[in-house]
Amino acid sequence: MNADAAFDTPDAPDRDLPMLTAAQAAHLRELAAPYTDNSHTYSLQNLAHTCRRAPEDRWPELVETHFARLRAAGRGDESAAELLSGVHARLLPIDSITPDLVGAMRYARVVADGLVFAYALDQPTTVRILTDPDVERAGLEELGEAAYANLMRVPVEHEEVAIEGRALLHSVYGDSPFVASKALFLSELARQVTGEALPDAGALVAVPTRHLLAFHPIVDGSVAGAINDLAQYALGAYQDGPGALSPRVYWWHRGGLKSLTVIDTETNTFSLQPPPELLGILKGLVRLDRAGRLAGRTAAKEPDIGGLRDTAAEAIARIDQDPSGLGGAFTSTVQLAHAHCAADPDLSHVDSWDAWASAVQLGTALFTGAQPQECHLGGDLVRQLPAVPAEPPADARAWLDAFYVAVVCRQSARIDRLCQVPLAVLRQDDSIDEYVLHWIDTLQTYWAERPMDDVVEKLLATMTTSAPDAVTRAPKDFVNLIDYQPVALFHRLITRDHDAFAEALTEALAHHATYWGDSPAPRARVALGPLAMASLAYDHGLPVDMKQPYLPTYLLNRERIEEIPG
């Protein structure tokens, strides 16, 4: 049976009122006919949702009540003061704007696929959508200010719903038909209900009914799962009604809404298609989160050294059968190395050193290949790293981690090999901002001992492209407090300004503390980038205070450094 035939079946969903069967929709239209005339068209969407939830023998009563309210709301003789006291900004489904309303509401505008912005007057028994004469009577500017103020005073309930144990969905609901319209001003709503501003990347948001909206701030890699869960949530709530508004998922960004849902009207199917800008943000957050670089809202549990060691050992053991797992093994060992510094902040124990040495081995192997070698993970746990070819992945921040741990562990030969990795390969990483590549270029140029003018030129490019208005993918606080700090330190290092370097190092460590707070996440334990720059400074004879937080003393002063296999 083809799709058109399916719609013609009495028990199939109606084309225009899919919450009803075709037979039910025909019955509703028959009941509504006496209340309509050729001079005005009415949307039956909300009425259909109401009827769907009631026995059909009550439909005549519901239809009569519905149109009685419409007639009561249609006077349009309120004074300007009355309009200003009751007006609210309102989101309407685009299919509720009938042809005769289009001509009467020239002030209204489409704000996103499927959604129209309008003004509505809240009355004791009903809500009336304002027309152009109403707007002229009250004044467009005055009406806009009043509509915003009245909308933000509408009371709401707020709940946090955990998605798969990580992603947080904020559900905002209430009796008022204006609750979902607060999505127009989502940034202020988020402050009201969570006490926190939305991130620069914005939020995913759904407005399935006029009484409900749900949003998920785009702060970490959990957004990858949240986008699908929110889509299912939105569609389910939209179909349940009443007061259906939109089944779509939107991206709220910089004050605007953009639909991520694409609806194929021929097949009546839905798909999610984020625009390139959002897709880049999502990829960046997922990769940052997977490597443990982001400070989450909820503090993780204290690092379990034994569990992290077992994870790293299992990952290394699988490389022989699946070489693509080398990147995950490197990430695991970096986590293990950092986690050791919780109980051993100076890195005085051999087990702690073994974890750092293994991170060096795996990081170098990931980008430059390696011969077979043993990786000591602490205690008696040893895993054999098989021979791996030189197939550097397009993972720029993993390269930085590999470079940093090699510098900290004073592995000059390995650093030489890392700095020969073609920048063109790392440029294929579509999850990063441009400044990351400029920073890698700066480090490679410096380590190759090329003219200092070339180093400075590349450093300036790094600084320019890491400015807030140039960063589009990584969270701004991560860039400012974590990612940029090695750049600032390197600037002081190459000028050989001892006092300025010391001041910048103290500032970098303070920023590290601010970003991570009381999180026990492994990355919170060591300021890896600043540690690498401090190690370079120490080796160049700059005085560096050995007793500072987040800088393992016996790595910084080289007392713990031992030979690393391979």
Side-chain angles (χ1 to χ4, degrees):
M1 181 181 294
N2 63 35
D4 289 334
F7 273 109
D8 291 336
T9 304
D11 291 335
D14 184 77
R15 281 184 178 277
D16 299 319
L17 302 174
M19 69 290 295
L20 302 178
T21 67
Q24 289 173 325
H27 179 44
L28 179 60
R29 293 186 183 98
E30 183 180 354
L31 292 173
Y35 299 95
T36 62
D37 57 58
N38 293 332
S39 64
H40 193 92
T41 3
Y42 295 91
S43 170
L44 298 180
Q45 292 283 331
N46 289 336
L47 180 56
H49 273 291
T50 302
C51 290
R52 181 179 69 87
R53 304 167 74 91
E56 285 198 43
D57 59 6
R58 287 198 57 222
W59 286 18
E61 172 193 346
L62 295 175
V63 171
E64 180 181 3
T65 300
H66 175 80
F67 283 99
R69 287 177 176 172
L70 288 179
R71 287 194 300 273
R75 298 191 314 273
D77 57 356
E78 300 87 359
S79 67
E82 289 173 325
L83 290 172
L84 294 174
S85 67
V87 68
H88 291 66
R90 178 76 180 269
L91 283 175
L92 298 170
I94 199 165
D95 55 11
S96 69
I97 308 299
T98 54
D100 55 323
L101 283 176
V102 171
M105 296 170 58
R106 289 170 297 175
Y107 75 89
R109 67 181 187 275
V110 175
V111 292
D113 289 349
L115 294 177
V116 174
F117 165 83
Y119 293 126
L121 183 65
D122 191 16
Q123 298 175 308
T125 60
T126 190
V127 173
R128 181 171 76 83
I129 304 303
L130 299 190
T131 59
D132 291 328
D134 298 316
V135 175
E136 293 172 6
R137 191 158 68 255
L140 182 61
E141 184 175 345
E142 294 83 354
L143 202 65
E145 293 175 356
Y148 164 77
N150 292 336
L151 175 66
M152 298 316 294
R153 283 195 291 266
V154 169
V156 297
E157 299 289 333
H158 169 244
E159 289 183 3
E160 289 186 354
V161 181
I163 300 175
E164 297 181 354
R166 282 206 63 219
L168 275 180
L169 182 67
H170 295 273
S171 177
V172 180
Y173 57 93
D175 295 331
S176 169
F178 298 106
V179 172
S181 300
K182 288 175 178 270
L184 289 163
F185 309 103
L186 191 62
S187 183
E188 181 167 341
L189 174 65
R191 284 184 181 276
Q192 289 180 351
V193 300
T194 71
E196 299 176 5
L198 288 178
D200 292 316
L204 304 176
V205 60
V207 286
T209 78
R210 60 196 179 196
H211 300 281
L212 169 69
L213 72 84
F215 67 95
H216 173 79
I218 302 174
V219 293
D220 56 31
S222 66
V223 67
I227 190 170
N228 292 313
D229 288 315
L230 189 57
Q232 295 176 13
Y233 177 88
L235 182 58
Y238 173 81
Q239 291 173 336
D240 286 343
L245 188 51
S246 172
R248 299 172 181 268
V249 174
Y250 296 91
W251 178 30
W252 188 95
H253 189 227
R254 297 173 183 170
L257 291 168
K258 184 175 183 62
S259 175
L260 308 184
T261 305
V262 176
I263 303 176
D264 187 330
T265 56
E266 292 295 323
T267 61
N268 199 31
T269 57
F270 291 49
S271 62
L272 291 167
Q273 297 181 17
E277 182 182 2
L278 177 58
L279 197 58
I281 292 172
L282 300 185
K283 287 180 178 179
L285 288 174
V286 168
R287 183 164 278 184
L288 285 168
D289 217 4
R290 189 177 295 142
R293 289 181 170 93
L294 295 181
R297 284 190 55 199
T298 305
K301 295 180 181 178
E302 288 289 335
D304 175 9
I305 297 296
L308 291 173
R309 184 189 295 124
D310 290 343
T311 299
E314 291 168 5
I316 295 170
R318 289 194 297 268
I319 293 172
D320 195 24
Q321 299 298 321
D322 181 14
S324 66
L326 181 55
F330 173 51
T331 298
S332 296
T333 55
V334 171
Q335 298 263 22
L336 176 62
H338 281 69
H340 268 288
C341 296
D344 183 18
D346 290 333
L347 212 84
S348 58
H349 302 152
V350 173
D351 283 357
S352 302
W353 164 254
D354 284 344
W356 282 83
S358 294
V360 171
Q361 290 173 281
L362 291 167
T364 310
L366 178 62
F367 287 95
T368 71
Q371 296 301 312
Q373 54 196 270
E374 288 185 343
C375 293
H376 293 258
L377 297 169
D380 297 326
L381 187 57
V382 179
R383 286 292 179 267
Q384 183 74 21
L385 176 65
V388 291
E391 296 179 354
D395 190 338
R397 282 202 176 87
W399 185 94
L400 281 173
D401 273 354
F403 178 87
Y404 289 155
V405 295
V407 167
V408 168
C409 294
R410 309 314 203 272
Q411 297 294 301
S412 296
R414 283 182 161 97
I415 300 170
D416 289 341
R417 289 158 55 193
L418 284 168
C419 287
Q420 292 170 17
V421 174
L423 197 61
V425 172
L426 301 179
R427 283 192 180 279
Q428 297 170 19
D429 185 349
D430 61 356
S431 70
I432 56 167
D433 290 286
E434 188 68 18
Y435 76 87
V436 179
L437 294 167
H438 285 299
W439 175 224
I440 292 172
D441 194 13
T442 303
L443 293 172
Q444 290 185 339
T445 303
Y446 171 78
W447 193 261
E449 298 183 342
R450 293 176 188 151
M452 189 54 65
D453 285 348
D454 292 349
V455 176
V456 171
E457 179 184 355
K458 296 175 188 301
L459 178 62
L460 289 174
T462 305
M463 293 176 170
T464 300
T465 53
S466 61
D469 58 349
V471 174
T472 61
R473 298 194 171 181
K476 298 294 194 298
D477 60 341
F478 170 78
V479 175
N480 295 335
L481 300 177
I482 300 296
D483 238 17
Y484 182 74
Q485 296 311 308
V487 179
L489 285 166
F490 183 79
H491 177 212
R492 303 305 183 189
L493 173 65
I494 62 175
T495 61
R496 297 294 192 271
D497 188 330
H498 299 186
D499 292 338
F501 183 87
E503 184 179 344
L505 181 57
T506 300
E507 184 176 326
L509 299 178
H511 286 326
H512 184 89
T514 297
Y515 179 78
W516 287 105
D518 59 358
S519 171
R523 291 263 180 180
R525 304 301 180 172
V526 178
L528 182 58
L531 174 61
M533 296 303 107
S535 297
L536 287 175
Y538 181 83
D539 293 349
H540 281 83
L542 271 69
V544 179
D545 183 357
M546 292 291 114
K547 292 295 182 181
Q548 298 191 73
Y550 312 115
L551 302 181
T553 301
Y554 298 126
L555 285 178
L556 184 55
N557 66 13
R558 301 194 296 256
E559 291 184 16
R560 181 72 271 179
I561 306 301
E562 300 177 16
E563 184 178 349
I564 299 177

